Amino acid sequence: MSKVPQVTAVFWIVKILTTGMGETTSDYLARTLGPVPAVGSAALLLAVTLIAQARARRYVPAVYWAAVIMVSVFGTMAADVAHVALGVPYAASATAFAVALALVFVLWRRVEGTLAVETVAGGRREAFYWCAVMATFALGTAVGDLAAATLGWGYLPSGLLFAALIALPAFAHRFTGLSSVLTFWWAYVLTRPLGACFADWAGVDHERGGLDLGTGPVSLVLAVVITASVAWLSACERRALRRALRASD
């Protein structure tokens, strides 16, 4: 039984929301707690959620999406630490994270024979899956900051750009027959800068081109929306399990 959700429109919506929450929550925690305590706390919570996900025997929406949120928060911090603390340009970190993601895919494909997420049911495949997810978040963070900050395009224009770009994988799959696995991961990477740019635009001050709503309030609103979405997904999952049990009787 797969331990990841079905890839539907709801999946992509919640995924984008988690990327936005990860961006603003990371910034808020770094300013409130300080960089070192924030990174340490995020790493601890990431470990807890990934252990809970690994111990689950099936897809549990609350557990799965909690892990995704913490990967988003920690992935943002990883990219930001590389740039702010170590002085690594976003172009260099984006390249490094892209190479890391490619290596994960190569190893995953060589060991397991497929990168299809519907086959992720635990064990090595799940380990490869979460390594790939973490690499996509770090890569997406670096790419989003590269566009918005380094290239000077701003958060809103960059968000609109990524909103347009994320449609390309769907069109490529539909009209050229490009592999669904390739187009899935292509879109998955783009969800990170898409959600992050719009969340930053809502949270940062006017001088940086934002709405100045504050990273804390934006994180809170996104958390409420995500919680409601996951509660709905959990209810759907319970109904599906009840139907499956009745059908097996």
Side-chain angles (χ1 to χ4, degrees):
M1 185 179 295
S2 178
K3 293 180 65 178
V4 299
Q6 289 185 327
V7 182
T8 63
V10 176
F11 168 86
W12 290 113
I13 291 171
V14 178
K15 172 63 171 62
I16 292 170
L17 291 173
T18 62
T19 65
M21 181 182 173
E23 177 72 19
T24 54
T25 301
S26 173
D27 292 342
Y28 177 76
L29 291 177
R31 285 201 314 271
T32 305
L33 302 178
V36 174
V39 172
S41 300
L44 177 60
L45 290 174
L46 173 62
V48 170
T49 55
L50 287 179
I51 290 171
Q53 170 66 20
R55 291 174 63 87
R57 295 186 177 182
R58 59 178 177 81
Y59 165 60
V60 180
V63 175
Y64 174 86
W65 288 109
V68 171
I69 289 171
M70 290 315 306
V71 169
S72 178
V73 173
F74 188 78
T76 301
M77 290 180 176
D80 288 344
V81 165
H83 178 72
V84 177
L86 303 179
V88 179
Y90 284 124
S93 59
T95 302
F97 290 133
V99 171
L101 179 60
L103 289 175
V104 172
F105 283 152
V106 169
L107 290 173
W108 185 358
R109 174 80 180 188
R110 180 169 297 180
V111 173
E112 297 296 330
T114 179
L115 304 179
V117 296
E118 61 268 19
T119 67
V120 175
R124 291 183 308 191
R125 287 190 182 182
E126 187 173 16
F128 279 121
Y129 173 81
W130 286 105
C131 286
V133 168
M134 284 189 278
T136 63
F137 272 97
L139 171 59
T141 299
V143 170
D145 288 334
L146 174 66
T150 303
L151 298 180
W153 294 346
Y155 294 112
L156 181 57
S158 296
L160 293 173
L161 172 64
F162 290 119
L165 290 177
I166 203 169
L168 293 180
F171 281 108
H173 176 62
R174 177 73 179 273
F175 297 108
T176 70
L178 196 63
S179 164
S180 60
V181 174
L182 175 60
T183 52
F184 168 83
W185 286 110
W186 179 3
Y188 200 93
V189 171
L190 288 174
T191 60
R192 182 65 183 91
L194 170 60
C197 285
F198 279 111
D200 274 333
W201 172 63
V204 301
D205 56 42
H206 298 303
E207 292 182 358
R208 298 170 62 190
L211 298 179
D212 200 18
L213 299 178
T215 54
V218 171
S219 299
L220 181 59
V221 170
L222 289 172
V224 170
V225 176
I226 292 169
T227 299
S229 301
V230 172
W232 180 76
L233 289 172
S234 298
C236 293
E237 187 71 11
R238 287 193 295 271
R239 288 195 294 269
L241 285 173
R242 285 197 294 267
R243 286 196 298 267
L245 289 173
R246 286 196 297 268
S248 64
D249 289 341

